[in-house]
Amino acid sequence: DLRPPVISLALQPGSGLFMAVLIQMTIAGKSLIGGNMEMALAANLTASSRLRQDTAGIPGFSCRSCRVALVSVKTNLPSSMLPKVMSKFLDSTLQKVLPGLLCPAVDAVLNLVNAKFTTMTSEIPLGSAGTLQYALLNPPLMNETFIELDLKTILHQKEGKEVDLPTDQPSLVSLPPKRDAATQLILSANFLSAELSVLQASFNLEISNDTVLGLPPLGTTMLGALIPEISRVLPPSQLLVIEMREAKAPVVTITPEKSFVQLFSTAEFWVSSSDSALESLFVLDVDSNLEVQFAVAEEKLQLSLALQSLSRVALASSSLGTFDELPLTGLLADVIRVAYVPSINRVLRGGIPLPDLLGITYGQATLSGFQVG
């Protein structure tokens, strides 16, 4: 009859985990003098384990030592039989058998923990855009109160190409203080930028009058009113199509007050000719600043963007000759705010999967931003 064990755990700085287990059991059987015998014993199991990193970047515990020491033994045998029988039983049975019975349980528990670490490094699909994988960048560090895991993220585009990510880690002194009794996960702005770069091909959008309500009529008449010098070469009352694409990887900036995403887009203006084929008129380079809001849902980091301003609008190429592109700034802001940003937010609803750290959940997570100086 084995009672539930009393387990005490302690972190060993620079080493691993120390485990002390108080085990209480009752052994019943036939005594050597006949009749039933019951023996209640208590034993202390002490074990130390090392937290390591394997070649695949997976953390794991391995047992370094395991010892069992008897604390007390009580029996229902007559007191006259106790010394001889007890001595023989302890010497020949308990001291030899208990370690072999109990120490394998330590390995079994560590294997269960290590299995949870393995799920942390599983490859996670990012919709149809690519995959994300977490692994250890450096060996785990043990403190008296917490374990520090420096994770690297491996991002692959759908074609299989790996996305380059800076491996420089901020120093501990630059990070926000560790809260007691809480797991703290820090995601870098570089990682979020790389994540958006994997998704950026999904941001491409063709915008016309049928795309979304709330836009001004997109046609050559409206375009000619904004840029009079090209109205002479544009056919009147023809429909326009604006194709938005990302030319460079987005850049995420995180500060304690607000966080932003910079998009580097191209806006190509097309017109429908008489045979319904599209003809390119000109291409604009458009840099925009968007505020980003973070939330956690379904164990994923959710991002939502809102346009703040256009920082740059420049003519990249034109079949109509050169012209002043600044009058198009207001139109582009409306197109990006009403049609393009909502389309990007729909792509971002899939969220960024967070690492599975020993089965913890992120549903009650508190989000805060900080900036490394």
Side-chain angles (χ1 to χ4, degrees), residues 177-193:
K178 170 74 172 63
R179 292 173 51 197
D180 293 337
T183 298
Q184 184 170 276
L185 175 67
I186 299 173
L187 300 176
S188 71
N190 287 333
F191 162 63
L192 297 178
S193 298

Side-chain angles (χ1 to χ4, degrees), residues 244-264:
M244 299 295 303
R245 290 182 174 272
E246 290 309 301
K248 296 192 299 184
V251 174
V252 176
T253 303
I254 299 176
T255 70
E257 293 79 23
K258 290 183 179 181
S259 297
F260 296 92
V261 173
Q262 287 179 286
L263 294 181
F264 307 96

Side-chain angles (χ1 to χ4, degrees), residues 261-307:
V261 173
Q262 287 179 286
L263 294 181
F264 307 96
S265 317
T266 60
E268 186 167 7
F269 284 66
W270 300 77
V271 65
S272 297
S273 61
S274 57
D275 58 358
S276 299
L278 290 178
E279 177 185 352
S280 177
L281 299 178
F282 53 86
V283 179
L284 299 175
D285 289 333
V286 183
D287 298 349
S288 51
N289 297 319
L290 303 97
E291 185 178 348
V292 56
Q293 297 289 336
F294 297 105
V296 174
E298 299 179 353
E299 306 305 308
K300 296 179 180 180
L301 182 67
Q302 305 287 337
L303 285 72
S304 178
L305 306 181
L307 179 67

